[in-house]
Amino acid sequence: MHEEQNDSGPVRCEPEVASLGFYLQPRPDGFVLHMSASREHVQAMRIHVFKSVTSAGVDEDTADTARLLASELVGNAVRLCGPWAPVVVRIVNAAEHVRVQVHDPEPEAIPRRSRRTPDNSRAETGRGLWILDAVAPGWSVEPSPVGKQVSCTLPRTHSEVA
């Protein structure tokens, strides 16, 4: 169990979903997900990203983009660290933006853009960072004591309520 502070005191956040290799911890501003990167866990992560962002009042296009970015970043972690890599995905729904963060255990494998253009028909990989640059310029990589964290920020667009 985790406690967060807000203006009215501590808020207890029970895990929404916990299973072998998948631990989703809701937060008042989004969630933190610890998972082993399997196909099933990545699919579930994508659902939770979309749900978290849209339930915070952000439009579906931005939620789709956040889901795409989280998928690309987790996919990069799997390519670098191997299947079932332990990753942490954090979504933060702030007043002006949505932040997507993915932490993996490989501190030395820093994402680098391929010299090939994204439309190169011979490239089998390498498009993820081009996507990141296109939809979330200014993404960053931070080393941590147990790996690294890649973060990107999307401007928040509020959904219109009819």
Side-chain angles (χ1 to χ4, degrees):
M1 187 159 12
H2 178 74
E3 285 191 3
E4 292 266 336
Q5 287 287 341
N6 71 13
D7 295 338
S8 58
V11 175
R12 290 172 114 32
C13 297
E14 299 287 337
E16 185 174 305
V17 176
S19 64
L20 183 61
F22 193 92
Y23 186 84
L24 179 67
Q25 184 69 48
R27 302 273 173 108
D29 63 349
F31 68 80
V32 175
L33 170 62
H34 296 258
M35 70 176 192
S36 296
S38 69
R39 179 179 309 270
E40 295 80 17
H41 292 163
V42 171
Q43 289 171 345
M45 177 267 307
R46 290 172 50 85
I47 291 167
H48 288 290
V49 169
F50 188 83
K51 179 179 157 186
S52 173
V53 175
T54 56
S55 68
V58 178
D59 70 292
E60 289 187 2
D61 287 342
T62 302
D64 275 334
T65 302
R67 177 170 46 192
L68 171 66
L69 293 176
S71 293
E72 288 294 328
L73 293 174
V74 169
N76 284 349
V78 170
R79 279 186 288 286
L80 294 169
C81 303
W84 297 96
V87 297
V88 178
V89 178
R90 182 167 186 214
I91 299 296
V92 179
N93 295 303
E96 299 298 319
H97 64 267
V98 174
R99 191 152 187 76
V100 178
Q101 299 172 313
V102 174
H103 189 277
D104 72 56
E106 185 52 62
E108 302 300 318
I110 304 298
R112 303 207 192 290
R113 285 166 204 82
S114 168
R115 292 185 182 259
R116 294 180 173 177
T117 59
D119 61 350
N120 186 312
S121 62
R122 293 182 182 199
E124 293 182 18
T125 63
R127 292 181 183 87
L129 296 179
W130 289 97
I131 292 170
L132 210 57
D133 283 337
V135 297
W139 56 273
S140 64
V141 180
E142 306 272 333
S144 74
V146 295
K148 71 174 172 304
Q149 178 174 276
V150 181
S151 300
C152 53
T153 303
L154 297 168
R156 183 177 170 147
T157 305
H158 299 276
S159 60
E160 294 187 29
V161 179

